[in-house]
Amino acid sequence: MVTKMAKKYFNLVSEKSKNEIYSYCEELLISDYLEESFIAFKWAYSLKDQYEPEDFAVFERWIGDYVNNWAKCDTLCNHTIGTFIQMYPQYIDSLKNWASSQNRWYRRAAAVSLIVPARKGEFFNEILEIADMLLTDDDDLVRKGYGWMLKEASREHQQEIFEYVMQHKKIMPRTSLRYAIEKFPKDMKNKAMEK
């Protein structure tokens, strides 16, 4: 329903400049309604062909100003920010900065922005670096976020993720570990789950 609405109304604004559309997104985000944030983030993603390096500052500010639950975080990060990072990989260092933020949403964003690239086997070393930084995070939503990132990375790098989990399982929270091994064959799962 929300996706249909986002598409329908995007057609009414699609002739506007990117910055005008971003300002409409911002107005939707200010309302703090989940549905309106979904529309804003879908509109931002619809502009992906026009992304430029300076857009990163906009997306980064949106996390700080408007993201206050996991659904908003994941909707913005999985597609908009993930696509931006694929287009401008030099911004991966900003994700590493987010991983040490006091703000839980920046820390989750550091991981979930790499979900789509991880599925394709991209940014593998950076994924492990970010997992290292978040390894013992005490926030459950951050733990789930980086566990999910590792799970997606395991599609193309199963053995390496298995080795990573085995190496860190004594200190890795069980939540993260369970997410990370979700796609493993049963024997590897059992081995990873052994105390």
Side-chain angles (χ1 to χ4, degrees), residues 73-74 77-78 108-116 145-146 148-149:
C73 186
D74 297 1
C77 295
N78 285 176
R108 182 173 171 98
V112 299
S113 294
L114 293 175
I115 294 296
V116 175
Y146 91 77
W148 181 21
M149 174 183 70

Side-chain angles (χ1 to χ4, degrees), residues 55 60 95 143 192:
D55 293 334
E60 185 170 49
L95 301 191
R143 291 173 174 186

Side-chain angles (χ1 to χ4, degrees), residues 2 5 12 31 40 43 45 52 67 71 82-83 121 127-128 139 142-143 149 152 157 166:
V2 175
M5 278 178 73
L12 301 178
S31 78
W43 283 8
Y45 182 60
E52 299 165 282
V67 167
T83 299
I127 283 167
L128 293 187
D139 189 303
V142 176
R143 291 173 174 186
M149 174 183 70
E152 297 305 336
H157 298 278
M166 293 304 286

